[in-house]
Amino acid sequence: RKPVVLKGMELGTCTTKWTVDYLSQAEGSKEVKIHVSAVPQMDFLSKNFVYRTLPFDTFVQRAAEVKHKEYFLSEDEKYYLRSVGEDARKDIADIRKQFPILAEDVQIPEYFEKEQFFSSVFRISSAGLQLWTHYDVMDNFLIQVTGKKRVVLYSPRDAPYLYLSGTKSEVLDVDNPDLEKYPLFVKAKRYQCFLEAGDVLFIPALWFHNVISEEFGVALNVFWKHLPAESDTYGNKDPTAASRAIQILDRALKTLEELPEEYRDFYARRMVLRIQEKAYRNDYG
């Protein structure tokens, strides 16, 4: 249940074929919806980016540029494609369906049963683009086909120090965090790896990750199921039982508000102890 970088995997012809020109020609002018950001650090909580639509070949050419002659926000804006299904609310991302020609070039490592497959998310990023820290509820492979990435990871047990809003951390800059605003962040143990073209990073479910594209690059994220199937096209919705437990806890905390402050504090601490006794693992290395 720990991340690992796998090197020398057989990934198919994608690692040699997927140049900018080949990508542009292979999938042509089909339209894709992309994220466009005026700054390298993308923030999903404040939504400091806009969604735009471009022909795929135009998008690839622009994403590979540093300065743009044509642009939406600024000449050095950053681009990010995260593929989605035909109907983003109902259909999962599957490279075989959305990018069938490119899918023929990829060999996905067989570390899970075929029926466990959930989605294959095609990703293209401008150089310098940084994605917000978040966790996913499924195990997944980040297959770096071309370009280089730096990935910073945090263990699930460090969740109390990451200032979460849903599945995402509010700490945007993990290299230079605002410790006045996020003082507990220093307690989170940082793991880091650098992915070269052809490397595969295994990211276990619930591990937080923050990704920087050090170069223009193309990647494929493959998610697979190890929990009972739930209807979630993006594969990052908390399990129903977990969501239900949090709702119950919220109601319990609301009930505590009926008590005077010193009683509320005392019984809240008892609740925390009970959660620790009943639910915390004690076998972390």
Side-chain angles (χ1 to χ4, degrees), residues 190-207:
R190 173 188 179 120
Y191 298 81
Q192 181 170 284
C193 66
F194 293 89
L195 301 181
E196 306 274 343
D199 288 348
V200 178
L201 172 62
F202 168 56
I203 306 176
L206 309 181
W207 273 77

Side-chain angles (χ1 to χ4, degrees), residues 157-201:
R157 65 174 172 171
D158 282 344
Y161 315 132
L162 296 179
Y163 298 87
L164 297 186
S165 177
T167 62
K168 302 161 190 70
S169 170
E170 292 179 15
V171 185
L172 202 60
D173 190 341
V174 295
D175 297 308
N176 298 288
D178 182 345
L179 295 180
E180 286 191 12
K181 192 173 182 181
Y182 308 114
L184 296 178
F185 185 70
V186 293
K187 294 186 176 184
K189 183 178 178 182
R190 173 188 179 120
Y191 298 81
Q192 181 170 284
C193 66
F194 293 89
L195 301 181
E196 306 274 343
D199 288 348
V200 178
L201 172 62

